[in-house]
Amino acid sequence: MKEKTGKIGTVFYVSTLFVTLFVLWGVMSPKSFQTATKNALNWMVDHFGWFYMLLTALFIFFVIGLALSPYGKIRLGKKDDSPDYSWFSWISMLFASGIGVGFVFWGVAEPVLYYFSPPEGYVSGTKEAAVAGLRYGAYHWALHPWSIYAIIGMALAYVMYRKGMPALVSSVFYPLLGKKVAGPIGKTIDMLAVIATCTGVATTFGLSAMQITGGLSHVFGSIPNSTVTQLVVIAVVTVLFLISSGSGLDRGIKILSNTNLSIAGMLLMFVILFGPTLFILESFVTTLGGYIANVIPMALTLTPFSESDWLGTNTIFFWAWHISWAPFMGLFIARISRGRTIREFVAGVLIVPSLLAILWFSTFGGTALNIELFGVGGFAELINTNVELALFAMLAELPFSEITNIVALLLILIFFITSADSASFVLGSMATNGDANPKLAVKIIWGLLIAGTASVLLVSGEGGLEALQTASIVAALPFAFVMIFLSVSMMILFSKDWQADRKKAKMAETAKVKEAVREDIKDDLKEDVVEEVKTEFQNQIKEDLKEDVYQDVTSELRDDVIQEMKTEVHDELQSVIKSDVYEEAKAELQDEMQEEWKEQVYDDVKQKWKDELKEEVKKEIYGELKEKMYDELKQELMEALNVKRNNRSNRKLQWETGEEFDDDSPKK
């Protein structure tokens, strides 16, 4: 039986229990927890690394193909729906919904890490390794992750706003499963989505808390970079995002997202203007060109002939992590994307964030590499030991570092709040059978659960957060298979609706053609219809006139006149029948010679207007024709009467004079 939207049900209880047991395992036995998850990660990378590489590449082609196909015109909503948010607000909410945390955390660290530990084929510490570091840093946050989010977001937005179905991943499977989406299979799909989201978001909470704590320690000095500080940060952020949740999505996340995008833009422009400007611009162009030229080789390159684990610990790590984020990002993107076409959706979700990723990594990572190559250096040791300090160490080498470090802290804090707010909204929706606006209490419960999970794992020691990060990657594997079947189901859904829309458009176009030829057909038919009506009513009018005419003639001649009229009418009827047969045969030959399209349109309209014109002509000519035939028949009968009278007079005269009757004279 289908659960009511907004009601806490099986998905909530089972997923909550699973996550709770998962966390308790990490708290009670962090070493065994870390060992188990690490072994699972190694097994997954060894056996399914190729799967992640191929699948994420196919997702890009799939999304771009949809946008360029006729399906790109399909609207994510009703036909007359318009977007709920402006373009700027929409892009800022996409950027700030959670992925912005990754930009800020890894924007400096990743290119420098790859400079010292490059992919296979590059030598550590060389200029080629620096170029590859920037390219791979942008590569991990550009088209691939956003194509993953776009697939989930597109599918959910369509079933929510076009089909009126619950905001659940299982709803997309209706073309494949039918009513079974409300049964165990559908609930299993939703539970996998919730579990993947919980593990992915909790990892981000920990990363954000670590970076804020590191920034506070770096800026103020007296604040220790410790677990206690991280817990305090999580507690403060939890209170702030609960306030944001209470104000609603339209006010809370929208205001924070617009503010954060403005701060991020200002910080980006500051680094470009006050950093190595020319180096940054050249790095951007080089990274953009290298990414475009090498994205396919990078996406489809593995190392089967070597024992390198670089792809497993970097690229495959990020692909799996992004897939674990897909339900969270996808549902949030769907919630804010109603009214946009698929083509517009792909442009906003895929292209714009990808360009921003390349620009961001070229700016912040490029500046860090410039300092490492041509400045004071020292980033390698710092990033290897305290990766959360990379951004603040880079800003310290630029002017006004006291101000920019505080701005960076504010940026991370707002990203943290918007991520928590978005996560509580998404998890609340998925756990209440797809409620598009989950209750505040439900969002608070999920927010507290995520914050508590991150806190417990940070307290649990070295294995806690690292183990959960690994576990989030492992949890992504089953959801990757879910995404494959989801894509197939989505194509079936789009195909059926597109064909239905095309049929409606064809019918509308046919109606326009009918209207266009209507007047021409009317003029062409009028003369023919007049003649047909005259012929059709000739017999009827004569019958109607007989009674009136017979009243005016002498009763003694009635039989003779009727006989004469029958003869005349018989002749006329023969003529009429011949005319009708001729016209029918002519019409049949004309119909057969018409082309198929004209036959469908022209004949339908012609018949319709023929009937209407017949009614008009009946009114116009009936009286006229009746009067005319009345006079003609009366005149004919009077002439016949006079002839009869004359003959009778002649016979009477002959009788009186005794003359013989002529042989030709009629007998008495």
Side-chain angles (χ1 to χ4, degrees):
M1 183 176 179
K2 188 175 181 179
E3 295 177 356
K4 183 179 178 181
T5 299
K7 181 180 179 181
I8 297 176
T10 306
V11 174
F12 175 85
Y13 292 117
V14 175
S15 57
T16 302
L17 177 62
F18 183 88
V19 173
T20 302
L21 293 175
F22 198 68
V23 172
L24 289 176
W25 182 17
V27 173
M28 298 175 65
S29 181
K31 290 186 177 180
S32 65
F33 179 75
Q34 182 182 17
T35 302
T37 53
K38 189 172 183 179
N39 290 337
L41 174 64
N42 292 335
W43 177 85
M44 183 205 70
V45 171
D46 291 340
H47 293 85
F48 288 94
W50 65 271
F51 173 74
Y52 279 110
M53 296 292 287
L54 182 61
L55 184 63
T56 52
L58 291 177
F59 283 159
I60 296 176
F61 291 110
F62 177 73
V63 172
I64 294 177
L66 271 179
L68 298 179
S69 72
Y71 299 153
K73 297 180 180 179
I74 295 176
R75 190 170 297 278
L76 301 177
K78 304 298 182 184
K79 216 168 187 179
D80 55 348
D81 281 350
S82 57
D84 293 335
Y85 305 98
S86 67
W87 180 266
F88 179 83
S89 294
W90 184 51
I91 294 298
S92 64
M93 292 171 78
L94 291 175
F95 187 73
S97 59
I99 202 68
V101 172
F103 279 25
V104 175
F105 192 92
W106 295 105
V108 174
E110 208 174 336
V112 178
L113 284 173
Y114 299 156
Y115 171 66
F116 290 105
S117 179
E120 187 174 281
Y122 296 92
V123 178
S124 174
T126 62
K127 293 181 179 179
E128 291 78 12
V131 173
L134 282 176
R135 186 170 70 246
Y136 271 90
Y139 163 66
H140 290 154
W141 297 89
L143 292 177
H144 282 71
W146 289 101
S147 66
I148 296 170
Y149 308 147
I151 289 175
I152 301 293
M154 189 191 313
L156 289 176
Y158 193 77
V159 298
M160 287 167 57
Y161 301 123
R162 179 71 174 260
K163 298 299 183 180
M165 299 181 72
L168 299 170
V169 176
S170 60
S171 296
V172 188
F173 286 80
Y174 190 84
L176 291 178
L177 299 178
K179 295 182 179 180
K180 293 181 180 179
V181 294
I185 298 177
K187 295 189 183 304
T188 300
I189 292 172
D190 292 329
M191 283 187 283
L192 289 174
V194 171
I195 291 170
T197 301
C198 285
T199 53
V201 171
T203 300
T204 302
F205 265 51
L207 290 175
S208 298
M210 289 170 58
Q211 192 170 29
I212 291 176
T213 302
L216 290 172
S217 174
H218 181 82
V219 172
F220 298 102
S222 59
I223 299 177
N225 185 11
S226 64
T227 302
V228 175
T229 307
Q230 293 170 0
L231 294 178
V232 173
V233 169
I234 290 177
V236 172
V237 169
T238 300
V239 173
L240 293 176
F241 95 75
L242 290 179
I243 295 173
S244 175
S245 294
S247 63
L249 180 69
D250 291 334
R251 293 185 57 192
I253 298 180
K254 181 180 177 181
I255 294 173
L256 289 175
S257 298
N258 289 340
T259 302
N260 215 32
L261 187 62
S262 300
I263 296 174
M266 289 188 295
L267 187 61
L268 179 67
M269 291 304 301
F270 171 82
V271 176
I272 292 175
L273 294 175
F274 289 89
T277 305
L278 184 60
F279 182 86
I280 291 172
L281 296 177
E282 290 179 348
S283 296
F284 171 73
V285 175
T286 302
T287 303
L288 177 62
Y291 179 76
I292 295 173
N294 295 281
V295 63
I296 294 179
M298 286 191 297
L300 299 175
T301 296
L302 289 169
T303 55
F305 302 103
S306 67
E307 296 182 357
S308 173
D309 61 352
W310 192 91
L311 285 175
T313 56
N314 292 283
T315 301
I316 296 174
F317 168 89
F318 279 110
W319 291 173
W321 194 15
H322 292 315
I323 289 176
S324 72
W325 267 69
F328 161 55
M329 287 293 293
L331 185 53
F332 181 79
I333 292 172
R335 176 63 180 83
I336 63 175
S337 299
R338 177 168 57 182
R340 301 192 183 276
T341 64
I342 290 177
R343 196 163 292 161
E344 183 182 8
F345 177 88
V346 171
V349 175
L350 189 65
I351 306 302
V352 175
S354 297
L355 291 174
L356 284 174
I358 295 173
L359 178 60
W360 187 276
F361 277 80
S362 298
T363 300
F364 287 87
T367 300
L369 286 173
N370 181 270
I371 295 172
E372 182 67 31
L373 290 170
F374 308 110
V376 296
F379 275 106
E381 183 178 354
L382 174 68
I383 291 176
N384 284 325
T385 55
N386 298 100
V387 66
E388 67 272 13
L389 297 178
L391 173 63
F392 303 102
M394 185 272 291
L395 290 175
E397 300 300 324
L398 301 179
F400 312 109
S401 60
E402 296 84 0
I403 298 175
T404 55
N405 275 320
I406 294 176
V407 171
L409 277 172
L410 181 62
L411 179 67
I412 298 167
L413 180 63
I414 298 179
F415 270 139
F416 197 173
I417 295 172
T418 54
S419 297
D421 199 347
S422 304
S424 65
F425 166 81
V426 169
L427 289 170
S429 179
M430 288 192 293
T432 54
N433 201 39
D435 190 357
N437 292 288
K439 296 178 181 178
L440 177 61
V442 175
K443 293 193 291 184
I444 291 175
I445 289 172
W446 276 109
L448 293 175
L449 283 174
I450 297 171
T453 301
S455 300
V456 168
L457 290 166
L458 287 171
V459 172
S460 66
E462 182 181 354
L465 184 59
E466 183 179 347
L468 180 62
Q469 189 174 12
T470 303
S472 68
I473 301 169
V474 176
L477 182 59
F479 194 75
F481 289 98
V482 170
M483 289 192 64
I484 294 175
F485 291 104
L486 180 142
S487 301
V488 174
S489 185
M490 182 170 60
M491 283 300 300
I492 296 174
L493 197 62
F494 287 165
S495 178
K496 288 182 178 180
D497 288 353
W498 181 76
Q499 289 176 4
D501 291 343
R502 190 179 181 187
K503 186 176 180 180
K504 290 180 182 178
K506 187 176 181 180
M507 292 174 64
E509 187 65 26
T510 300
K512 289 182 180 179
V513 173
K514 288 182 178 180
E515 188 65 25
V517 301
R518 183 179 181 185
E519 294 300 325
D520 293 338
I521 293 176
K522 183 177 179 180
D523 294 337
D524 294 341
L525 283 175
K526 189 169 184 178
E527 184 176 350
D528 295 338
V529 170
V530 170
E531 294 300 325
E532 290 181 13
V533 170
K534 286 182 178 179
T535 302
E536 180 181 340
F537 281 98
Q538 187 171 5
N539 294 334
Q540 181 180 344
I541 293 172
K542 285 184 178 182
E543 291 297 327
D544 294 342
L545 288 173
K546 280 182 181 180
E547 185 177 353
D548 296 337
V549 173
Y550 289 168
Q551 292 176 358
D552 296 336
V553 299
T554 307
S555 58
E556 63 184 274
L557 297 177
R558 184 181 302 273
D559 295 336
D560 294 336
V561 172
I562 291 175
Q563 185 63 38
E564 291 176 4
M565 288 188 67
K566 282 183 178 181
T567 303
E568 294 175 3
V569 171
H570 181 268
D571 295 337
E572 291 176 1
L573 284 173
Q574 286 183 334
S575 175
V576 170
I577 291 172
K578 289 180 181 180
S579 176
D580 289 343
V581 172
Y582 177 81
E583 291 297 328
E584 290 177 1
K586 181 179 179 181
E588 290 176 359
L589 290 172
Q590 289 177 342
D591 290 341
E592 292 174 358
M593 294 174 63
Q594 298 301 318
E595 297 178 4
E596 182 178 354
W597 67 270
K598 190 173 181 181
E599 196 172 280
Q600 295 174 351
V601 177
Y602 190 92
D603 289 348
D604 290 345
V605 179
K606 180 175 180 180
Q607 185 61 44
K608 178 181 175 183
W609 278 93
K610 183 175 180 180
D611 295 337
E612 295 176 2
L613 286 169
K614 278 186 179 181
E615 295 298 325
E616 296 177 3
V617 172
K618 284 179 184 179
K619 296 177 182 178
E620 294 175 3
I621 70 170
Y622 185 90
E624 177 184 351
L625 188 59
K626 181 176 180 180
E627 182 179 353
K628 178 180 178 182
M629 293 187 66
Y630 177 89
D631 294 335
E632 290 177 356
L633 287 171
K634 184 176 180 181
Q635 182 65 32
E636 291 175 3
L637 292 173
M638 291 300 296
E639 289 176 358
L641 178 62
N642 290 334
V643 171
K644 202 72 173 178
R645 286 177 177 174
N646 290 336
N647 289 338
R648 182 177 291 181
S649 297
N650 290 335
R651 286 197 298 271
K652 184 177 180 182
L653 181 61
Q654 290 175 353
W655 179 270
E656 291 175 349
T657 58
E659 295 180 357
E660 295 182 357
F661 289 99
D662 295 335
D663 294 336
D664 298 334
S665 299
K667 306 298 180 182
K668 184 176 179 180

